[in-house]
Amino acid sequence: MIDLFSDTKTRPTAAMRQAMANAEVGDERAGEDPTVNRLVARCAELLGKEAALYLPSGTMCNEIALAVHCRPGEEVLCDVTAHILGFEGGGPGALAGVMIQPITGTRGIFGAAALKEKLRPDRPYAPRQRLVTVEQTANLGGGAIWPLAALREVADTAHAAGLATHMDGARLFNACVASGIEPADYARGFDSVWIDFAKGLGAPGGAVLAGTRDFIAEAQRWQFRLGGAMRQSGIIAAACAYALDHHVARLAEDHAHARRLAAGIAELAGLRIDVTGVETNLVYFDVIAPGWDAAKLCAALAARGVRMGPMGPRTVRAVTHLDVDRAGIDTALAALREVLGG
Ligand SMILES: *Cc1c(COP(=O)(O)O)cnc(C)c1O
């Protein structure tokens, strides 16, 4: 199976499993797991923040960040395609009790002007606005990279209006590898930021949320409240540390594979793609062949051992990662040609 459904489909490599087996562990909940402690210190440094917290998932990082930054009834501004809006089980409403005001950006990215348009006057009848969030890279924006200038402008506008800022860095390293910009530079101006180890970095789980010492202290209370405090989690944290050492620079290969896939798709008459939009490891394209739609195409591909994800009636997403090599990309392209030609 060539599984391009998501970069979460990676399995730990033999070397990563070895690092996990050798991990020094303790009771994380009591602050006694040395592998977790080293990982969070390293991530805080990488992200340019005072402190960091190890959590089971990126979703929990987002949900805790919303809950720490906001009180119930307050409003969060984010792009209309944001993960917190459509993919976290309604957590922002159920856990933080916040309202969300979506901003219609371009490929998941919006500017200071679009943000300013959504700022509300401070009136007793209006929800109090509290937080602006961005995704680096923008997942439903096609893996688009927020330019540094756009991030600065949005963060400055938010802070000037008295709002806090949060960065969902599920694929922050993809942006860093593609642009050559350091994680701390992207995260500057953001009061909280997190990175995911279970996406392209190839670990079996885990994410690290970073911010000020005070923010992280509050986040830790939410970690306990949600049952996200673990015990000998150094076993998984060791996989994350291994990923930081060995799986960051190689994301460039995933990006090259994504471009190769996009170029092949561009040659197929029944598909439509903007190849210039493929900046990282996410490849979105539309099915325009008569009689076909995204679901039907994905089913036909699956029958040939290639998995992609339908993301809309005509839109398909393919994600490159550690477990798909160049030959796998060529197999996927051959399957697309066969399916649409036949
Ligand atoms: C995957 C993802 C998340 C959630 O991360 P999990 O570790 O899967 O919970 C959040 N935001 C974005 C943009 C993602 O792609």
Side-chain angles (χ1 to χ4, degrees):
M1 169 71 84
I2 310 294
D3 200 342
L4 295 160
F5 188 84
S6 169
D7 44 7
T8 55
K9 300 296 178 189
T10 53
R11 287 145 308 170
T13 62
M16 180 180 275
R17 286 170 192 260
Q18 198 56 55
M20 297 171 76
N22 295 339
E24 204 186 337
V25 298
D27 187 351
E28 176 214 285
R29 205 178 270 219
E32 292 168 2
D33 190 297
T35 305
V36 169
N37 293 344
R38 277 194 295 270
L39 179 72
V40 295
R42 186 174 173 189
C43 291
E45 167 101 35
L46 258 171
L47 295 166
K49 303 297 173 204
E50 285 175 8
L53 183 63
Y54 189 57
L55 291 168
S57 70
T59 299
M60 200 181 282
C61 292
N62 271 340
E63 295 304 324
I64 287 180
L66 298 185
V68 174
H69 286 300
C70 309
R71 302 283 77 79
E74 293 182 340
E75 190 175 75
V76 176
L77 297 118
C78 62
D79 189 81
V80 67
T81 64
H83 198 275
I84 53 170
L85 249 176
F87 297 85
E88 300 191 6
L95 303 170
V98 293
M99 312 210 6
I100 293 196
Q101 173 151 209
I103 298 174
T104 305
T106 304
R107 306 187 68 227
I109 294 169
F110 53 88
L115 172 58
K116 277 183 190 151
E117 266 177 40
K118 298 288 185 183
L119 293 178
R120 298 177 189 277
D122 184 11
R123 296 282 188 277
Y125 55 74
R128 181 178 283 129
Q129 296 183 308
R130 182 60 75 193
L131 179 70
V132 177
T133 76
V134 301
E135 270 175 37
Q136 182 70 307
T137 64
N139 181 348
L140 271 76
I145 301 171
W146 274 80
L148 211 45
L151 289 172
R152 293 280 154 80
E153 180 182 289
V154 161
D156 288 349
T157 302
H159 287 149
L163 312 187
T165 52
H166 171 70
M167 176 180 283
D168 170 338
R171 296 187 180 82
L172 176 59
F173 282 115
N174 291 89
C176 294
V177 167
S179 67
I181 293 169
E182 296 295 326
D185 288 329
Y186 276 134
R188 190 164 296 125
F190 287 79
D191 301 308
S192 53
V193 55
W194 62 269
I195 47 177
D196 207 331
F197 292 96
K199 296 269 162 81
L201 294 187
V208 170
L209 174 65
T212 62
R213 244 172 238 110
D214 285 349
F215 173 87
I216 291 300
E218 268 312 293
Q220 201 165 18
R221 191 173 305 281
W222 272 96
Q223 174 193 29
F224 274 84
R225 187 171 292 163
L226 299 179
M230 297 180 277
R231 297 295 185 185
Q232 286 72 32
S233 45
I235 294 278
I236 343 170
C240 303
Y242 180 89
L244 281 181
D245 290 334
H246 301 281
H247 291 172
V248 175
R250 66 148 306 285
L251 291 171
E253 292 171 36
D254 298 343
H255 300 168
H257 292 155
R259 288 193 297 271
R260 183 177 181 85
L261 180 63
I265 287 171
E267 287 173 9
L268 296 177
L271 305 177
R272 187 174 55 205
I273 188 167
D274 171 14
V275 291
T276 62
V278 179
E279 298 177 50
T280 53
N281 69 327
L282 307 183
V283 180
Y284 283 74
F285 60 94
D286 288 332
V287 187
I288 55 168
W292 288 89
D293 61 23
K296 187 175 162 189
L297 182 72
C298 291
L301 288 174
R304 284 164 178 79
V306 174
R307 200 157 162 229
M308 296 184 185
M311 297 295 281
R314 303 220 148 262
T315 306
V316 176
R317 187 184 76 165
V319 187
T320 59
H321 56 76
L322 192 58
D323 285 8
V324 178
D325 59 13
R326 191 178 148 126
I329 297 299
D330 292 342
T331 303
L333 282 170
L336 276 170
R337 268 192 295 274
E338 192 183 305
V339 163
L340 290 167

